[in-house]
Amino acid sequence: MSANIEQNVAILGLGYVGCVSAACFAHIGHRVTGIDKDEFKVRSVLEGRAPFYEPGLEEMVKSGVAAGRLGATTSVEEGVHDADVALICVGTPSEKNGNLGLGQLRKVVEEIAATLSSRTKPLVVAVRSTVFPGTCEEVVMPALGDHPMVRVVSNPEFLREGAAMKDFMEPSLVVVGGHDAQAVARVASIYAPLNVPPCLVSLRTAEMIKYACNAFHAVKVAFANEIGALAARLGVDGHEVMETLCKDDKLNTSAAYLKPGFAFGGSCLPKDLRALTYRALRMDLKLPLLESTLPSNEWQLQRAVHAVLDLPPGARPGIFGLAFKENTDDLRESPVVNLVEQLIGKGRELRIYDPHIQLDAIYGANKSFVLSAIPHIGRLMDRALEDMLAWSTHIVVAQKPSREIHAVLAAQGKPIIDLVGAFPGQPA
Ligand SMILES: NC(=O)c1ccc[n+]([C@@H]2O[C@H](COP(=O)([O-])OP(=O)(O)OC[C@H]3O[C@@H](n4cnc5c(N)ncnc54)[C@H](O)[C@@H]3O)[C@@H](O)[C@H]2O)c1
């Protein structure tokens, strides 16, 4: 499958995503056939009209049809026959219980499968509808019957209704994921005229990314609204607060803090969240997102506790890192101290090494915090990494290691429980 610039693209489903994609792919030079079981939508496109209102769509449908690059049909057989790429854009609405409804997807995949018996031309089926990770492997591929000419990839859509044409032509993200590199490259190539470097990822990452993006956007909106509501109660201008927050593009509107890892801790984040939600509560102001943040953090800690408790009987975990993050000896509200406290409470033997903690050198609130949680901490701490490694059967990485220590941990050969994402591919 070589990647041509101009390709035959079939688009299954002419709803918001499908119709916008059809018009835009035709506009950037592909030959597009839109397929929908809804005769009204097909007729609209054939007559050069948009089947629903979306700014700029009607003009682009009209020009695509006039140029002979955009057609439409109700027949899957006819629409997919000459296609190099078939983009599935059918609806995936919620079921009553909130589960994702795959009825339209299953049906349209069955209809594609029914066209394949005589197929001799390669076809990449790209799932553009939002589907849960695993859907391509568990639903789409089996229904297509592992046809030798057919490959399946995931190519999620990120456009927003109301700005859909602009979002398509100037995409914030183009993602393609799949097992077959050539099929992935072919689908990526249909976006080449947009001059946006595509993110080529694994199949399940492509399926998951759309959920991660939408959840992130929803959390952002809820966060801004809760800060706005609290500000209003306090007589503060919430717009000014959030605009100022957004001026920090190092820590706030950036990739900072956006990597899966261990629970947060330290002397500021838990204390300030507690103070903020307590003050809101006193004013009878509900801030469920902010109120749920410390419980969410506690669950992250519990997952780490269980990962260590699940080690085989007789395992001797060595914990790397005790402070709440790297390059500090601050133990106040360190989640690792909580982790150790809970493991000891369950009768686990363990040892700890932290390159920045000399127990005889720490004092004040720092010392009293750790001593109240783990009174005999002194007996658990090794002064040298080598001592901890020699005693342990498993290493729990609870803090980002320096480059030198990373190399030692990577080479020591014992299983690692990586709580901080320092060893990609290791269990967390
Ligand atoms: N609307 C958005 O803003 C948006 C943005 C990104 C992703 N998505 C996702 O994209 C997918 C499509 O969303 P939408 O809003 O375009 O849905 P929609 O309901 O507007 O359109 C779906 C279309 O698919 C057609 N269809 C269903 N089964 C068919 C079949 N067997 N053969 C031919 N046509 C068939 C329907 O008639 C309908 O026209 C969903 O998974 C959605 O979550 C939507």
Side-chain angles (χ1 to χ4, degrees), residues 13-16 19 34-53 57-58 61 72-74:
L14 287 172
Y16 284 89
C19 196
I35 306 160
D36 206 295
K37 59 187 179 143
D38 181 335
E39 285 178 14
F40 167 78
K41 288 182 178 162
V42 169
R43 212 170 37 249
S44 298
V45 170
L46 289 174
E47 290 168 1
R49 286 183 290 107
F52 48 83
Y53 178 68
L57 177 60
E58 179 119 337
V61 169
T73 175
T74 53

Side-chain angles (χ1 to χ4, degrees), residues 12-18 35-38 41 76 89-92 104 107-108 111 128-130 157-161 210:
L12 295 117
L14 287 172
Y16 284 89
V17 167
I35 306 160
D36 206 295
K37 59 187 179 143
D38 181 335
K41 288 182 178 162
V76 173
C89 302
V90 298
T92 49
Q104 294 183 33
K107 181 84 188 353
V108 84
E111 288 169 357
R128 202 142 172 72
S129 303
T130 302
E157 170 58 63
F158 300 98
L159 59 76
R160 297 162 300 170
E161 287 173 24
K210 174 73 186 171

